[in-house]
Amino acid sequence: MICVRACKRGAERGNMKGSFITFEGCEGVGKTTQVEKLRRYLMESGQDAIFLREPGGTVISEKIREMLLSKENDKMNGKCEALLYSAARAQLLGEIVAPALESGKIVICDRFTDSTFAYQGAARGLGVDFIDELNKLTCGDIVPDVTVFLDMRPEEAFKRKGGADKNDRLESQSIEFHRKVYDGYKEVAVRYPHRFVCIDASKDAEGVWQDVIALLRERTSVK
Ligand SMILES: Nc1ncnc2c1ncn2[C@@H]1O[C@H](COP(=O)(O)OP(=O)(O)O)[C@@H](O)[C@H]1O
Ligand SMILES: [Mg+2]
């Protein structure tokens, strides 16, 4: 049951009238599956939306993404990683997200600041307060109206996915790492309860979707 109202709706971001929706969760919980369902739903109902993935979404940000995900960069330290994510995000916000929200569009992002909080802040041990500050400096008042957190522990999610993808530097981390990621997300839930909504990801994809769309219709400009 969703009972808390979003406190940073578009109207409170100055001229930005659109809705900003982010999806978060551990690997394999079904983020991409639900984002694709939302893409189809919005397209079929004629609602204008922009879909982004983090890190990426602009030419510069995609180049930074390659650096972050490449196995060749396994010597990258946590602070470098966090700053690269923020650099990619700063470009994405300025080039795509802010203008889209200003023109009243719905913007959907597969991972955003809470991933940095959970992965770099909690799991890589940079400190959640450091990452929280970095996120605020990078984003200013561009805060999601709603963050859909697909809530499932990494052990279960990996089973669903048939094991971690060994070609992706982040996904091939140990299960301990992913448990810390999950705990990091739970800390976000405590810090930002007004926007961060936990949805039970253990239902089948259609069941999860019914919860997702009900939430978005209640709390954003999605019709
Ligand atoms: N609710 C669900 N129940 C069962 N399997 C699912 C569900 N959602 C997604 N899947 C499957 O789990 C795998 C991971 O889903 P995906 O959407 O890629 O996760 P993510 O983007 O969070 O890593 C895919 O094979 C997908 O088909
Ligand atoms: Mg995905």
Side-chain angles (χ1 to χ4, degrees):
M1 186 66 190
I2 313 305
C3 55
V4 221
R5 125 189 200 294
C7 79
K8 270 259 185 188
R9 288 301 308 276
E12 292 168 51
R13 278 194 303 256
N15 291 327
M16 298 185 189
K17 301 180 288 289
S19 288
F20 187 22
I21 299 160
T22 59
F23 283 78
E24 296 281 0
C26 295
E27 323 291 343
V29 295
K31 295 181 296 298
T32 303
T33 303
Q34 295 301 320
V35 166
E36 284 309 310
K37 281 181 174 288
L38 182 57
R39 187 198 300 273
R40 211 171 315 128
Y41 175 86
L42 291 173
M43 204 177 66
E44 284 170 4
S45 56
Q47 300 181 65
D48 214 4
I50 292 181
F51 287 81
L52 303 167
R53 67 168 185 182
E54 274 251 311
T58 72
V59 173
I60 292 168
S61 311
E62 290 289 338
K63 284 186 181 161
I64 298 172
R65 180 190 179 90
E66 281 170 29
M67 256 191 274
L68 281 163
L69 298 187
S70 167
K71 266 199 134 169
E72 286 174 18
N73 291 334
D74 60 357
K75 288 196 178 67
M76 187 183 292
N77 72 35
K79 203 170 257 184
C80 177
E81 188 174 289
L83 292 169
L84 282 175
Y85 270 100
S86 286
R89 182 167 296 145
Q91 188 67 27
L92 181 70
L93 291 178
E95 203 176 312
I96 309 278
V97 177
L101 292 174
E102 270 162 27
S103 70
K105 284 193 179 136
I106 298 164
V107 178
I108 293 111
C109 201
D110 190 341
R111 295 194 175 284
F112 193 59
T113 44
D114 302 324
S115 286
T116 322
F117 188 99
Y119 281 80
Q120 282 72 45
R124 280 198 180 264
L126 276 189
V128 288
D129 292 324
F130 169 75
I131 295 296
D132 211 19
E133 277 310 304
L134 181 61
N135 284 341
K136 284 177 192 159
L137 288 169
T138 307
C139 302
D141 63 355
I142 306 183
V143 175
D145 296 299
V146 172
T147 298
V148 179
F149 175 62
L150 297 177
D151 194 348
M152 179 179 266
R153 295 194 158 274
E155 297 86 343
E156 293 162 61
F158 277 3
K159 267 185 233 152
R160 178 184 272 180
K161 213 173 175 178
D165 178 356
K166 296 283 180 281
N167 295 320
D168 180 316
R169 197 172 58 83
L170 294 181
E171 288 198 18
S172 56
Q173 302 279 345
S174 70
I175 192 71
E176 273 67 37
F177 178 87
H178 291 283
R179 284 197 192 109
K180 287 184 199 162
V181 170
Y182 182 82
D183 292 343
Y185 275 128
K186 287 291 162 170
E187 171 68 23
V188 178
V190 172
R191 288 190 186 210
Y192 301 104
H194 55 280
R195 67 163 171 87
F196 192 86
V197 182
C198 299
I199 288 205
D200 177 8
S202 68
K203 297 182 182 176
D204 65 18
E206 187 52 34
V208 176
W209 166 246
Q210 290 306 325
D211 292 344
V212 168
I213 192 62
L215 168 69
L216 297 182
R217 291 179 71 174
E218 184 182 329
R219 298 266 294 262
T220 73
S221 57
V222 169
K223 294 195 249 347

